[in-house]
Amino acid sequence: MSASAVFILDVKGKPLISRNYKGDVAMSKIEHFMPLLVQREEEGALAPLLSHGEVHFLWIKHSNLYLVATTSKNANASLVYSFLYKTIEVFCEYFKELEEESIRDNFVIVYELLDELMDFGFPQTTDSKILQEYITQQSNKLETGKSRVPPTVTNAVSWRSEGIKYKKNEVFIDVIESVNLLVSPHTSPAPLPGPGYIHPQVNANGSVLLSEIVGTIKLKVFLSGMPELRLGLNDRVLFELTGRGKNKSVELEDVKFHQCVRLSRFDNDRTISFIPPDGDFELMSYRLSTQVKPLIWIESVIEKFSHSRVEIMVKAKGQFKKQSVANGVEIAVPVPSDADSPRFKTSVGSAKYVPERNVVIWSIKSFPGGKEYLMRAHFGLPSVEKEEVEGRPPIGVKFEIPYFTVSGIQVRYMKIIEKSGYQALPWVRYITQSGDYQLRTS
């Protein structure tokens, strides 16, 4: 079972719009939600599911709104939350930004969408591209004209319309991996003996406290008709099934697919087979908890002089293959909150002081693998001596490395099968970028 009713509340808990799907929970029960939320928040026991008697509130917050589903049954909570997040995604597709004002300005369309998204408590059409075929933002047309429900809604393939035609049939595949990393140095640097000193005992790999790769495979599909696509990866489970061993294969974890993928086929033989939506969509996401060598390693040394000035020296090294280049590198180096009069010297790129964040941003447009660069920053400090109570925040790094995946995942093939037998070209692009990438300093 799924939701009995769905509510959109403002930040004070006042209902802006509601839709009663089953009628087995009184709509007035929503009055208990906000007092319950405030009470749990004060007790430090806030949870995504709140209960009042036999009524359960499953809720999420987005911008200045609360989306709340009510149920009195033993509902499938993951299905309800998936529906609420999908509802937000659809509303954002329609209104660009989902907030109280956009709900008030478009309440007719919001009701139309809520009617199509769910029926008697069960999710129905949740693909915004299909919904936009018959629910337009010209609400008056819905009232005056006869709206024709497209066949897509009743098709087995509800995410793709029939009769799509392109002069040139192509598929673009983007494999994007984000690296989440938290590194602590093995040793603490000694005081600087002289300008330009970087402590030699800090291992260039440090102690990796957190390391994971979060990947997504996104497609742009420009194909005619109703094609079937089959995507092959260097999946370790598949390689073991076919007797190829573990060479150059990756073990994917927490795999999540778009609804178009035939899950039974994947479970049987690890084939990713699907009829794709038209245009852009995310085919799948995955995670790898493998230990990653820091792609950009940072060492920094800070020295204070008589509480009147501070000098920071930072060395950045590209620890990825020399043929690759990291683009748009930004290294955020924390500085004391009372620092002033900044001066910088960089061997490459530029540095600027961002006082509202208490950081220096060192920007490097192009950072080849194997290269090392230095940045020096000099700040004045107030003459009044004050106790140092705060630890140094970690250094944050942003970057993007094209034509490279840190996991080694590869698209081995993309087969495109369509009854008209046309030839189509698949194009593949690999990108590695920083996720939550932080390096602690001593």
Side-chain angles (χ1 to χ4, degrees), residues 121-139:
F122 295 95
Q124 298 296 312
T125 306
T126 58
D127 191 298
S128 59
K129 289 180 183 176
I130 302 303
L131 288 165
Q132 285 170 0
E133 289 186 21
Y134 63 104
I135 297 181
T136 70
Q137 288 175 284
Q138 304 297 322
S139 55

Side-chain angles (χ1 to χ4, degrees), residues 252-270:
L252 304 176
E253 302 170 35
D254 298 340
V255 180
K256 178 184 173 185
F257 289 112
H258 186 275
Q259 61 175 326
C260 67
V261 175
R262 296 186 176 96
L263 296 180
S264 57
R265 180 81 186 268
F266 181 77
D267 288 340
N268 287 338
D269 59 14
R270 306 294 282 192

Side-chain angles (χ1 to χ4, degrees), residues 55-71:
V55 179
H56 308 293
F57 303 101
L58 297 89
W59 64 278
I60 57 176
K61 189 177 183 184
H62 179 86
S63 186
N64 58 351
L65 300 173
Y66 291 96
L67 272 76
V68 186
T70 58
T71 178

Side-chain angles (χ1 to χ4, degrees), residues 218-321:
K218 296 182 178 181
L219 269 62
K220 282 186 181 180
V221 177
F222 305 105
L223 296 175
S224 305
M226 198 66 73
E228 179 182 340
L229 275 57
R230 291 175 190 166
L231 179 71
L233 303 172
N234 56 334
D235 176 12
R236 182 164 297 173
V237 177
L238 172 64
F239 275 35
E240 289 173 355
L241 284 172
T242 54
R244 300 185 202 183
K246 296 183 179 180
N247 290 340
K248 293 186 178 179
S249 63
V250 295
E251 188 169 355
L252 304 176
E253 302 170 35
D254 298 340
V255 180
K256 178 184 173 185
F257 289 112
H258 186 275
Q259 61 175 326
C260 67
V261 175
R262 296 186 176 96
L263 296 180
S264 57
R265 180 81 186 268
F266 181 77
D267 288 340
N268 287 338
D269 59 14
R270 306 294 282 192
T271 299
I272 302 170
S273 174
F274 57 99
I275 296 172
D278 189 42
D280 298 3
F281 74 102
E282 184 177 298
L283 175 68
M284 63 179 286
S285 63
Y286 59 89
R287 184 179 62 85
L288 295 121
S289 55
T290 49
Q291 184 142 318
V292 180
K293 181 180 181 180
L295 297 173
I296 295 181
W297 174 251
I298 306 293
E299 294 175 33
S300 76
V301 180
I302 183 169
E303 187 177 14
K304 293 186 178 180
F305 296 88
S306 313
H307 300 278
S308 62
R309 62 188 176 91
V310 62
E311 287 186 3
I312 301 171
M313 274 168 280
V314 179
K315 181 173 78 173
K317 181 178 180 181
Q319 298 192 140
F320 46 94
K321 59 185 181 181

Side-chain angles (χ1 to χ4, degrees), residues 180-192:
N180 296 331
L181 194 72
L182 179 59
V183 180
S184 181
H186 280 316
T187 58
S188 300
L192 290 175

Side-chain angles (χ1 to χ4, degrees), residues 77-96:
S78 61
L79 178 64
V80 176
Y81 285 116
S82 180
F83 173 78
L84 292 176
Y85 280 109
K86 191 67 182 177
T87 300
I88 288 173
E89 186 181 316
V90 169
F91 286 165
C92 288
E93 287 281 337
Y94 267 81
F95 314 130
K96 305 305 177 192

